[in-house]
Amino acid sequence: MAISEKCCSTQLIDGDGTFNISGIENFMKEVKLGECGLSYAVVSIMGPQSSGKSTLLNNLFRTNFVEMDAFKGRSQTTKGIWMARCAGIEPCTLVMDLEGTDGRERGEDDTAFEKQSALFALAVSDIVLINMWCHDIGREQAANKPLLKTVFQVMMRLFSPRKTTLLFVIRDKTRTPLENLEPVLREDIQKIWDSVPKPQAHKETPLSEFFNVEVVALSSYEEKEDQFKEQVASLRQRFYHSIAPGGLAGDRRGVVPASGFSFSSQQIWKVIKENKDLDLPAHKVMVATVRCEEIANEKYASFVAHEEWCQLEEDVQSGPIPGFGKKLNSLLHTSLSEYDAEATYFDEAVRSAKRKQLQEKLFQLVQPAFQSALGHIRSGTLDKFKEVFDKALNGGEEFSASANNCIGSCMAQFDEACADVLIEQTNWDTTKVRENLQRDMDAHVASVCAAKISELTASYEAKLKEALSGPVEALLDGANSDTWPSIRNLLSRETKSAVSGFSAALTGFDMDEETRQKMILSLEDYARGLVEGKSREEAGRVLIRMKEKFTMLFNHDSDSMPRVWTGKEDIRAITKTARSASLKLLSVMAAIRLDDDDTDNIEKTLAVALVDSSSSAVNRSITTVDPLASSSWEQVPSSKTLITPVQCKSLWRQFKTETEYSVSQAISAQEANKRSNNWLPPPWAIVALVILGFNEFMTLLRNPLYLGVIFVGFLLIKALWVQLDISGEFRNGALPGIISLSSKFVPTIMNLIKRLAEEGQNPATNNPQRNPSINNYNAVTAGSAVSSSASSNVSSLDNGTEYASSSKDE
């Protein structure tokens, strides 16, 4: 017995099967096991000799079991069963290190102790670690299958179910994922359980009634020591509170109190030692099983390490290999033939079973390479198909014919290539891969077909848009009685042209007549929708169009020349004509009329309600119904309505409001023109002035000095008239003119006096030059007056486009 600071260890059962009673009693006292009650757990480990069981326990539970010295050779290290307390784990956990199985020291015939110790561990422990190498998964002896089978059978007969947890620890894990290894182990355990003869009481008892199966994997201790220790540290966490609900042994049953563990262990070992049902199978069968397993493992290892296979496996990852199936068949045949030659003298049943297992393992080994080769053929064929198919389409071939021809030729090439990679004696079928290839080809054809049809449809839609949008907008802009018939003719002509070309282009695609007609109908609907959309767009700008129409007709004559309101124009008639044209435009834009049978009385309704109503407004009764007080037109469905009656009424009211200013400005300009042309007084006033002013006229003739004074006064008044721009000031009204002149009168007088004073101060020698300056001044003032008058007339024409009174326009 060895004792350390952290744990105690003792040999519970020696190599001869003797139970160490005194040793376990001292051990219980040392670890104070009797004080634990039911709060303790027992863990044991079993597995092949020199598989690292003691190393795992020491790293996992910080025990001090003796480990094998690799430099002294592989030999038996642990003899019998040793027990120790796990350091630093709660609750108190006991661990048992069992002697390794399949050791050369005992020989192939002396395996009774292996079965006894395994059965003891299963009967005593809450958790049993089954230590095994990763590459032993699927094997018979190395995976402890015969041992477990015998132990299961005897355990059911000797003991009642106590729910032991079997924790398979896979050592030196390879690249194979754990999720692929775990199902194999679970399936093997279930098969062992199903094959074990059961007592009547446990005929229907499931495996889960006796055992919980868990699987973990660890990296190599020698090659990846750091990673191994990290994984062991993670596994150690699972043993904390292992007997708590949800722990590794959380559902254990029939637990013996800690104080009776020693006596209970002794009795269990006694029963196992005296039981004769633990005898080994027949010697011949056992030898055949072990030897054939060894031969099969040797041939499998030899095949795995074979240089040609390694090269073949490496090459097949990068691309297809010519003659792949022939080369692989030769390697497999050689390996199986060598097995048959070496195992020919062993038991036939065992030999055949092991040969079948070897063959299955070899097939399982080479299947990924076979799938890779098949995958390369599939992807290469698909790429070849895409290339050939694109080339055929670019060459001008019809779509359906080129697709069928390319698929047929490529599938024939695939079948020929598959025959080259098939492996004899396997039932591997390439039908699924062929179906996937066919599906990929069909999907590619469908994708290209959809893209081509989409491209074709987009092309014809673009042509229709170009052919319809501009002309329809132009027709609606100059709306008249022929607008909708012209639009119908345009739509019919362009749609027929597009449908004809589109239908001819679709003949190369393999589609049924119903689908073809749907696509043609969709193109026709697109054209109609394009016109309707453009109509609705233009209807949204109808007020702008109406004002433009009115302005064009009102401000321009029949020769499209701008009107000058001289006083001879009939503004009322011009206004009525312009508004009638705008009303016509509104009636045209009120509804869509793309069908030949589209008839309506919208124009008449609008004329009665908006134009004629004003002249008869006085005579209308209060009870008369407004024809525009509705949200729909008669004989016009809502889907074809662009502007409702109510909206028409609102638009007309807004239109009149915004155009009245132009009419009032025209009237103002006309009146101003008339006033400027009638500056002479009436004839009777002239006659009266001549008769009544005869005496004064004679006085002026007798005294010419009066004429000079009058002339000077005339010049002063003329200067004031020009400087003050009296005619311009009174153009906006009498009151504003008086106010403006009152503010400008005094500054203007002062300015004139100042200039006269400056002229008077000049020397007499400058008199000849002063007269020209006065003449120049008079000329400037006269020119200024003319310029001011002309600018006011232009201003009157430019601004004279509004009509102030709504009663004058009718």
Side-chain angles (χ1 to χ4, degrees), residues 321-384:
I321 301 175
F324 174 82
K326 185 177 181 180
K327 295 177 182 178
L328 198 53
N329 282 322
S330 175
L331 292 174
L332 291 172
H333 179 73
T334 300
S335 181
L336 293 174
S337 297
E338 291 176 355
Y339 170 85
D340 292 337
E342 294 186 28
T344 184
Y345 298 107
F346 292 101
D347 183 78
E348 183 178 358
V350 176
R351 183 178 73 243
S352 299
K354 296 302 177 183
R355 187 186 192 280
K356 185 177 181 181
Q357 292 179 7
L358 173 61
Q359 181 175 283
E360 290 177 353
K361 288 177 64 179
L362 289 174
F363 287 166
Q364 185 178 4
L365 176 66
V366 303
Q367 189 175 22
F370 170 77
Q371 294 294 339
S372 296
L374 207 60
H376 290 309
I377 295 174
R378 172 174 172 268
S379 60
T381 305
L382 182 61
D383 293 339
K384 181 67 175 177

Side-chain angles (χ1 to χ4, degrees), residues 636-665:
V636 179
S638 59
S639 59
K640 295 184 178 181
T641 300
L642 296 178
I643 308 173
T644 63
V646 173
Q647 291 173 337
C648 285
K649 187 175 181 180
S650 175
L651 286 170
W652 185 255
R653 184 183 300 112
Q654 187 175 355
F655 165 75
K656 287 183 64 177
T657 301
E658 295 183 9
T659 56
E660 281 177 353
Y661 183 73
S662 298
V663 178
S664 64
Q665 285 292 335

Side-chain angles (χ1 to χ4, degrees), residues 378-500:
R378 172 174 172 268
S379 60
T381 305
L382 182 61
D383 293 339
K384 181 67 175 177
F385 165 75
K386 292 179 179 179
E387 179 182 352
V388 174
F389 184 48
D390 291 342
K391 186 180 295 184
L393 291 179
N394 294 332
E397 294 185 23
E398 288 190 355
F399 187 89
S400 299
S402 60
N404 294 331
N405 293 337
C406 293
I407 289 177
S409 62
C410 290
M411 291 306 296
Q413 295 176 12
F414 174 78
D415 294 336
E416 182 180 351
C418 283
D420 184 57
V421 299
L422 285 177
I423 299 175
E424 299 175 359
Q425 302 179 8
T426 63
N427 57 352
W428 296 341
D429 191 7
T430 60
T431 303
K432 188 174 181 180
V433 179
R434 193 180 193 280
E435 291 175 354
N436 291 338
L437 176 61
Q438 180 73 46
R439 186 169 58 251
D440 291 343
M441 288 182 177
D442 293 340
H444 180 71
V445 170
S447 175
V448 175
C449 179
K452 292 288 184 182
I453 292 178
S454 177
E455 180 181 349
L456 190 64
T457 303
S459 173
Y460 277 92
E461 287 180 352
K463 291 179 180 179
L464 280 172
K465 186 174 183 180
E466 182 180 358
L468 292 175
S469 294
V472 168
E473 183 176 352
L475 289 170
L476 292 174
D477 188 19
N480 52 49
S481 300
D482 295 330
T483 295
W484 284 110
S486 300
I487 292 176
R488 284 199 296 269
N489 294 335
L490 174 66
L491 175 62
S492 176
R493 182 176 66 253
E494 297 298 336
T495 302
K496 286 180 180 178
S497 175
V499 166
S500 176

Side-chain angles (χ1 to χ4, degrees), residues 5 42 45 92 127 195 211 239 277 375 386 433 474 485 489 601 681 704 716 741 790 792:
E5 295 178 0
V42 181
I45 188 169
C92 179
I127 304 169
S195 64
F211 302 103
F239 288 87
D277 290 339
K386 292 179 179 179
V433 179
N489 294 335
N601 55 355
L716 291 175
L741 290 175
S792 66

